[in-house]
Amino acid sequence: MGRAFVYVILGGGVAAGYAALEFVKKGVSHGELCIISDEPVAPYERPALSKGFLLPEAPARLPSFHTCVGANEERLTPKWYKENGIELVLGTGVKSADVKRKTLLTTTGETISYKILIVATGARALKLEEFGVSGSDAQNVCYLRNIADANRLVNAVQSSPGGNAVVIGGGYIGMECAASLVINKINVTMVFPEAHCMARLFTPKIASYYEEYYKSRGVNFVKGTVLSSFDFDSDGKVTAVNLRDGRKISVDMVVVGIGIRPNTSLFEGQLTLEKGGIKVNGKLQSSNSSVYAIGDVAAFPVKAFGETRRLEHVDSARQSARYVVAAIMEPGKTGEFDYLPFFYSRVFTLSWQFYGDNVGEVVYFGDFSGSTFGAYWVNKGHLVGAFLEGGTKEEYEAVAKATRFRPAIEDLTELERQGLTFAVTV
Ligand code: FDA
Ligand code: NAD
């Protein structure tokens, strides 16, 4: 039993939704495109899960945040896919892939064949068990990657009014969930191994601003240590978190955000992998010319850096999705993917954006005791990265443009003196 399509998108997340819209804009015919997803719902804006979805008042719920509302584009409901002749196969995993035969075998036993496959399988949350700690299945231990996780987190919050939570991990999930828990009047302790939060991106000075802000909202920080075990009650609920430094913290709930692994397993031994993802060229084409990869799972050449990177951010998923459809449908008109990395976050009333790369010397600007400040990264005599908290729309656009332009920087002191004005006038 099986069906055949010209184009198949494997995975039904952010990248799949944006690719679907682009296929329709480029005039895909009815019946040509199929999307297979193990999630039970049509593609949605995953970033909502750690923000609007967790609000105590008027929380965001589907269908309000289906793609592509995050980029102010059309909201693609299941009806939209139907009207546009796109086969949306939901709640169905792909359990094996054969890139030589160009077939996928689903968990329902169906073989789906393609002429062109776009892999958009994203990533999965790393589990505590992978770090030697058991207890991930306890009902009050929460991860956050999909709608099911988000519902479980909301249930845990609602079962712990005024209670205590430990958030394990000081990255994106840790920071955004800690803020959402505080807004839900839960007392939060954040535990992470590094000396400061957001260690992959923030400098100690930038991190200190956010940590002080979080402390002013009641968050405790336990840094430089990791979880060693949980205590459980007779129902299997976690009652305390034991840390490697000997501390014990009583809890009503735990949130874990300790990083992700790209979902590549279907293609191991079939496609070339790099940086934990599927290696693709400047056309986002893998080592098999009929297979493309986009979003979190793709390791692609970032032209501005002259090296292959895998990015785990929504803008990269959206842009790579739009690009790949153009590269497939209009190959003659489409050059190579030229992407400037862009990350952002919003917590409490704070909001920051980052463009480019955080390598080289750091030049700070603005008022770190106020609400607008930032930093430039200068590497080998050029501006390569910029961070801005509390900017206006125009200021964010200016730092993005300046970073894309990579201007030569001769005098760091002068750059510091000019601060944000430098980006606005470059
Ligand atoms: P994504 O994970 O969205 O989709 C992958 C899809 O493939 C899923 O539906 C999955 O179930 C499916 N799948 C995987 N294997 C399969 C199989 N074998 N068979 C069938 N289906 C399969 N970024 C940012 O820049 N700003 C932000 O504020 C946030 N906020 C944020 C919050 C939370 C809670 C998370 C988890 C993530 C973010 N992100 C973010 C990151 C951003 O959401 C992420 O980069 C994109 O979702 C990546 O899009 P993809 O389509 O690549 O993967
Ligand atoms: P992350 O990579 O941002 O952070 C992982 C954190 O895990 C590290 O900062 C570290 O503190 C911690 N850690 C590592 N090993 C540990 C250990 N043994 N014990 C305890 N802590 C440990 O990953 P994440 O926060 O889990 O986020 C998951 C994914 O979701 C990422 O791809 C991220 O980009 C994405 N996301 C992005 C945003 C955003 O861009 N605004 C928001 C939410 C999620």
Side-chain angles (χ1 to χ4, degrees):
M1 190 187 74
R3 283 180 284 175
F5 296 90
V6 182
Y7 312 107
V8 171
I9 302 175
L10 168 49
V14 172
Y18 281 77
L21 182 59
E22 200 63 23
F23 266 116
V24 168
K25 285 184 183 172
K26 296 256 182 278
V28 74
S29 300
H30 283 221
E32 282 188 339
L33 173 62
C34 169
I35 297 176
I36 312 171
S37 177
D38 56 11
E39 288 196 78
V41 292
Y44 58 88
E45 302 284 359
R46 203 163 300 280
L49 298 183
S50 53
K51 305 174 187 71
F53 199 93
L54 302 181
L55 290 176
E57 305 285 337
R61 289 290 180 268
L62 288 174
S64 74
F65 60 98
H66 280 299
T67 56
C68 300
V69 293
N72 294 322
E73 296 215 55
E74 214 174 327
R75 185 165 57 97
L76 315 183
T77 57
K79 187 163 160 258
W80 179 90
Y81 291 90
K82 204 170 184 161
E83 282 168 2
N84 284 285
I86 298 170
E87 192 66 35
L88 199 51
V89 182
L90 297 177
T92 305
V94 166
K95 60 180 184 187
S96 67
D98 185 333
V99 301
K100 288 212 175 79
R101 291 207 167 99
K102 300 191 182 185
T103 55
L104 305 171
L105 179 62
T106 71
T107 45
T108 56
E110 183 179 10
T111 298
I112 293 185
S113 59
Y114 60 82
K115 286 205 169 81
I116 288 177
L117 175 66
I118 300 174
V119 183
T121 45
R124 65 171 181 85
L126 277 171
K127 289 287 174 84
L128 287 170
E129 281 71 7
E130 294 168 75
F131 295 89
V133 176
S134 47
S136 283
D137 292 338
Q139 73 185 64
N140 58 343
V141 172
C142 306
Y143 291 80
L144 188 53
R145 184 73 204 178
N146 54 35
I147 290 275
D149 296 336
N151 282 324
R152 184 179 160 112
L153 180 49
V154 168
N155 284 339
V157 167
Q158 288 171 350
S159 313
S160 319
N164 298 315
V166 162
V167 171
I168 314 261
Y172 287 94
I173 291 286
M175 293 300 280
E176 294 188 4
C177 288
S180 292
L181 291 172
V182 168
I183 293 166
N184 280 280
K185 299 194 167 55
I186 306 268
N187 306 305
V188 177
T189 301
M190 291 189 71
V191 177
F192 49 84
E194 296 90 355
H196 63 77
C197 69
M198 294 289 291
R200 285 203 290 168
L201 179 64
F202 288 3
T203 65
K205 186 177 165 88
I206 295 175
S208 155
Y209 177 90
Y210 293 94
E211 288 183 13
E212 288 308 315
Y213 185 92
Y214 274 53
K215 282 185 206 164
S216 77
R217 302 294 301 253
V219 174
N220 295 314
F221 286 88
V222 179
K223 303 191 259 185
T225 190
V226 291
L227 172 75
S228 61
S229 65
F230 290 129
D231 291 349
F232 301 92
D233 67 11
S234 53
D235 295 331
K237 262 181 87 172
V238 171
T239 54
V241 165
N242 299 305
L243 304 183
R244 203 170 282 168
D245 70 4
R247 263 183 267 197
K248 184 190 281 292
I249 307 171
S250 296
V251 290
D252 298 290
M253 61 177 291
V254 177
V255 178
V256 185
I258 53 174
I260 61 168
R261 281 285 174 280
N263 292 318
T264 55
S265 60
L266 293 172
F267 300 99
E268 273 154 31
Q270 301 195 73
L271 302 176
T272 305
L273 303 183
E274 193 176 318
K275 305 233 156 117
I278 296 174
K279 183 182 164 73
V280 292
N281 62 20
K283 298 263 181 192
L284 304 188
Q285 198 168 30
S286 75
S287 53
N288 178 300
S289 62
S290 305
V291 182
Y292 294 74
I294 55 176
D296 282 9
V297 79
F300 64 89
V302 178
K303 277 191 165 184
F305 308 160
E307 64 175 57
T308 295
R309 297 268 176 105
R310 205 178 48 69
L311 300 176
E312 301 171 355
H313 294 275
V314 75
D315 184 64
S316 163
R318 292 171 181 159
Q319 303 297 347
S320 59
R322 289 177 177 136
Y323 169 86
V324 85
V325 176
I328 290 167
M329 304 268 287
E330 297 170 340
K333 282 205 241 163
T334 312
E336 298 205 325
F337 188 44
D338 187 7
Y339 178 68
L340 177 72
F342 164 44
F343 317 149
Y344 73 88
S345 185
R346 290 191 304 272
V347 285
F348 297 114
T349 54
L350 306 176
S351 174
W352 60 259
Q353 297 192 8
F354 170 84
Y355 295 88
D357 205 5
N358 57 332
V359 291
E361 289 188 74
V362 187
V363 173
Y364 297 102
F365 59 82
D367 180 5
F368 275 73
S369 57
S371 57
T372 304
F373 63 87
Y376 295 119
W377 279 259
V378 177
N379 196 31
K380 297 178 187 152
H382 288 267
L383 181 79
V384 296
F387 176 94
L388 178 60
E389 162 66 45
T392 61
K393 186 169 171 282
E394 291 72 26
E395 287 166 344
Y396 286 123
E397 280 167 10
V399 291
K401 196 169 138 229
T403 312
R404 180 172 291 284
F405 185 57
R406 288 171 70 86
I409 304 291
E410 275 153 26
D411 184 347
L412 296 184
T413 316
E414 177 57 16
L415 179 64
E416 187 175 11
R417 196 191 63 73
Q418 290 191 24
L420 192 50
T421 311
F422 175 82
V424 175
T425 52
V426 81

